[in-house]
């Protein structure tokens, strides 16, 4: 008898989405696990473990599954984040006086492009960070702290981009490198940022909210020591997300209240780091909506998500898209299928399929599975459009 498992969410990781898609295609083909297994030369138990995201399929098995289920390459594309995750950047050499400004400019460019889901420069960020590490000892002491800060930010950015494409283990390594570098210069704000809105959020999103909460509370102490209330509010919000995922409503509410209080009292003595631009009142409303959705309060979630959508800066396209799709998720849970379809169409109208990141693509596909499962013919045109849209995603 198989052990009971927590119901996985296709949005969490590349593995959970692959499993959900495999299950949907298998059932659409009218095949049981035992019937499919001989066609792909593995046991039905292994297929069950793949569908429940307990095991990753090897590339050759993905190929056989794709052919057996006539997926036309779709299963191969969904498996890419965990079958092709090795970065092999070439070494480059930069002069010590050039590496700092060069890395800073790259981080700025990529960070802004990443918000719009247009960044495809992950290998370049990794290469530049490595080149900078190679010259730290040759840089003047007066410039060393700033260079190390830039290196820490580069590792953080690389980790976030890896997480966004579904490469969780590589993201963990990048975040660890970012934290170690930030600790060398006592950059309390960066330590908090890496530990909270990055590593803690990744843990929660990827199905381990207990670790997410632990990481968020660890980051909270660094955020408070940094003196930046906006950063403290951001980290508190990430803690709330973890509590919501664990169905701990009281603790979630407590952390959201703390986040609102800290953000309302924020008066920076100097300009905030550019990476804090992503968190403001609109973002807090979006995270609150996500919490309410996880806590099983879809109607209240829609209210907060609409508040976010009306106030969020257009530049932060990924966040807006994610929260539009969560609004659709909430509406589907309430049986408001046509309203959900409208939200999905709104999300598709705002983005280019060829530029969205794998994590957002997983969310679109998760919604597609639920639209198809609703059985409501009124949403069929949206589901058909979404299927074409997903097919165009890279």
């Amino acid at each position: 008898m198989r052990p009971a498992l927590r119901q996985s969410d296709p949005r969490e990781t590349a593995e959970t989405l692959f499993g959900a898609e495999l299950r949907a295609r298998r059932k659409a083909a009218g095949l049981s696990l035992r019937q499919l297994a001989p066609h792909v030369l593995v046991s039905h138990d292994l297929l069950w473990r793949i569908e429940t995201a307990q095991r990753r399929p090897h590339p050759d098995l993905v190929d056989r599954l794709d052919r057996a289920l006539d997926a036309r390459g779709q299963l191969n594309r969904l498996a890419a984040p965990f079958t092709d995750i090795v970065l092999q950047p070439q070494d480059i050499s930069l002069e010590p006086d050039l590496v700092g400004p060069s890395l800073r400019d790259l981080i700025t460019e990529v960070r802004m492009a990443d918000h719009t889901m247009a960044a495809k420069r992950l290998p370049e960020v990794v290469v530049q960070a490595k080149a900078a590490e190679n010259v730290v000892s040759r840089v003047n002491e007066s410039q060393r702290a700033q260079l190390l800060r830039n290196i820490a930010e580069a590792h953080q950015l690389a980790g976030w981009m890896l997480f966004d494409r579904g490469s969780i283990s590589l993201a963990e390594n990048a975040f660890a490198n970012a934290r170690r570098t930030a600790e060398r210069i006592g950059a309390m704000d960066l330590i908090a940022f890496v530990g909270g809105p990055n590593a803690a959020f990744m843990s929660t999103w990827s199905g381990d909210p207990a670790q997410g909460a632990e990481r968020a509370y660890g980051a909270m102490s660094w955020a408070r020591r940094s003196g930046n209330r906006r950063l403290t509010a951001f980290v508190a919000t990430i803690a709330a997300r973890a509590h919501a995922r664990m169905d701990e409503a009281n603790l979630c509410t407590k952390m959201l209240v703390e986040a609102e209080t800290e953000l309302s009292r924020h008066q920076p003595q100097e300009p905030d780091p550019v990476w804090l631009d992503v968190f403001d009142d609109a973002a807090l409303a979006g995270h609150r909506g996500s919490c309410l959705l996880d806590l099983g309060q879809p109607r209240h979630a829609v209210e907060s998500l609409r508040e976010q959508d009306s106030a969020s800066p257009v530049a932060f396209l990924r966040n807006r898209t994610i929260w539009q799709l969560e609004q659709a998720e909430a509406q589907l849970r309430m049986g408001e299928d046509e309203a959900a379809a409208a939200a999905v169409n709104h999300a598709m109208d705002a983005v280019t399929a060829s530029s969205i990141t794998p994590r957002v693509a997983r969310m679109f596909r998760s919604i597609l599975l639920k639209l198809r499962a609703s059985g409501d013919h009124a949403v069929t045109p949206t589901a058909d459009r979404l299927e074409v849209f997903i097919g165009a995603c890279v």
Side-chain angles (χ1 to χ4, degrees):
M1 183 176 178
R2 295 187 180 115
L5 292 176
R6 177 185 66 83
Q7 184 66 37
S8 60
D9 188 326
R11 300 173 300 169
E12 290 178 353
T13 64
E15 291 87 345
T16 56
L17 178 60
F18 182 89
E21 181 71 15
L22 175 59
R23 185 183 308 111
R25 288 184 177 273
R26 174 177 61 76
K27 290 185 175 181
L31 296 172
S32 69
L33 289 167
R34 289 184 182 275
Q35 289 170 327
L36 176 59
H39 294 285
V40 293
L41 308 177
V42 296
S43 70
H44 66 276
D45 186 66
L46 175 58
L47 288 180
W48 176 77
R49 292 181 184 279
I50 291 170
E51 286 192 358
T52 53
Q54 295 182 73
R55 286 284 299 275
R56 290 176 173 175
H58 291 293
D60 59 340
L61 175 55
V62 175
D63 285 338
R64 294 198 296 274
L65 287 166
D66 195 275
R67 290 195 300 271
L69 296 172
D70 193 26
R72 300 181 182 181
Q74 187 58 53
L75 289 176
N76 282 296
R77 287 190 286 273
L78 290 177
F82 53 81
T83 57
D84 182 23
I85 61 173
V86 179
L87 290 175
Q88 295 180 320
Q90 296 181 346
D91 289 337
I92 63 171
S93 178
L94 293 175
E95 292 300 318
D97 59 338
L98 297 178
V99 69
S102 176
L103 184 58
R104 182 74 261 161
D105 290 345
L106 176 64
I107 291 169
T108 300
E109 291 174 16
V110 174
R111 197 180 296 284
M112 292 312 300
D114 187 54
H115 289 313
T116 64
M117 300 186 289
K120 299 184 183 297
R121 302 171 70 180
L122 172 60
E124 189 177 352
V125 173
V126 174
V127 167
Q128 289 270 21
K130 184 176 180 180
E133 288 175 333
N134 290 338
V135 302
V136 167
S137 62
R138 296 158 53 197
V139 172
N140 293 333
E141 191 170 344
S142 61
Q143 300 173 321
R144 193 169 299 160
Q146 183 58 54
L147 178 57
L148 286 168
R149 186 178 179 89
N150 290 342
I151 293 170
E153 285 196 40
H155 284 308
Q156 173 274 317
L157 183 56
W160 180 260
M161 296 169 78
L162 286 161
F163 158 59
D164 212 34
R165 78 174 194 174
S167 301
I168 305 301
S169 60
L170 289 178
E172 287 279 11
N173 291 337
F175 290 147
N177 288 335
R179 181 185 174 96
R180 281 194 294 268
T181 306
E183 287 174 342
R184 287 181 63 181
I185 53 173
M188 291 178 282
D189 59 340
L190 267 179
I191 296 171
F193 181 56
V194 172
N198 289 269
F201 181 77
M202 181 176 72
S203 295
T204 297
W205 183 280
S206 302
D208 192 352
Q211 184 184 59
E214 181 180 345
R215 286 175 158 177
Y217 283 112
M220 184 81 72
S221 63
W222 289 103
R224 287 174 175 148
R225 290 173 65 186
S226 77
N228 190 308
R229 290 182 177 273
R230 186 180 183 183
L231 176 58
T232 303
F234 199 179
V235 178
T237 302
I238 301 306
R241 293 290 301 265
H243 287 306
R245 190 62 67 89
M246 291 186 286
D247 201 28
E248 297 173 345
N250 289 338
L251 289 171
C252 175
T253 299
K254 177 182 177 182
M255 298 314 298
L256 286 174
V257 169
E258 180 165 346
E260 291 166 1
T261 301
E262 290 293 312
L263 190 57
S264 69
R265 293 176 177 174
H266 180 57
Q267 295 181 343
Q269 303 302 313
E270 55 187 46
D272 284 324
V274 67
W275 38 259
L276 258 184
D277 289 349
V278 74
F279 186 76
D280 55 12
D281 288 316
L284 179 53
H287 284 292
R288 186 189 309 113
S290 296
C291 288
L292 292 166
L293 182 60
D294 284 338
L295 289 170
Q297 302 176 39
R299 192 163 302 281
H300 293 305
V302 168
E303 293 173 4
S304 285
L305 293 168
R306 283 177 173 162
E307 178 185 342
Q308 182 279 330
D309 194 43
S310 65
S312 176
V314 176
F316 298 135
L317 183 59
R318 173 176 37 209
N319 282 356
R320 290 172 63 91
T321 303
I322 287 173
W323 281 318
Q324 285 164 356
L325 294 176
E326 293 212 324
Q327 179 181 322
E329 169 86 16
Q331 290 163 328
L332 283 171
R333 292 187 189 181
M334 293 187 291
E336 299 176 357
D337 296 349
E338 292 185 50
V344 172
N345 279 311
H346 184 42
M348 285 191 287
D349 289 342
V351 299
T352 301
S354 61
S355 69
I356 68 172
T357 64
R359 182 164 62 103
V360 179
R362 291 200 300 272
M363 293 194 68
F364 274 112
R365 185 165 290 278
S366 174
I367 287 291
L368 174 60
L369 293 172
K370 291 167 185 174
L371 285 174
R372 293 294 193 203
S374 73
D376 187 340
H377 295 299
V379 304
T380 298
T382 297
D384 290 343
R385 180 191 174 195
L386 182 53
E387 190 149 13
V388 173
F389 175 89
I390 291 169
C393 293
V394 176

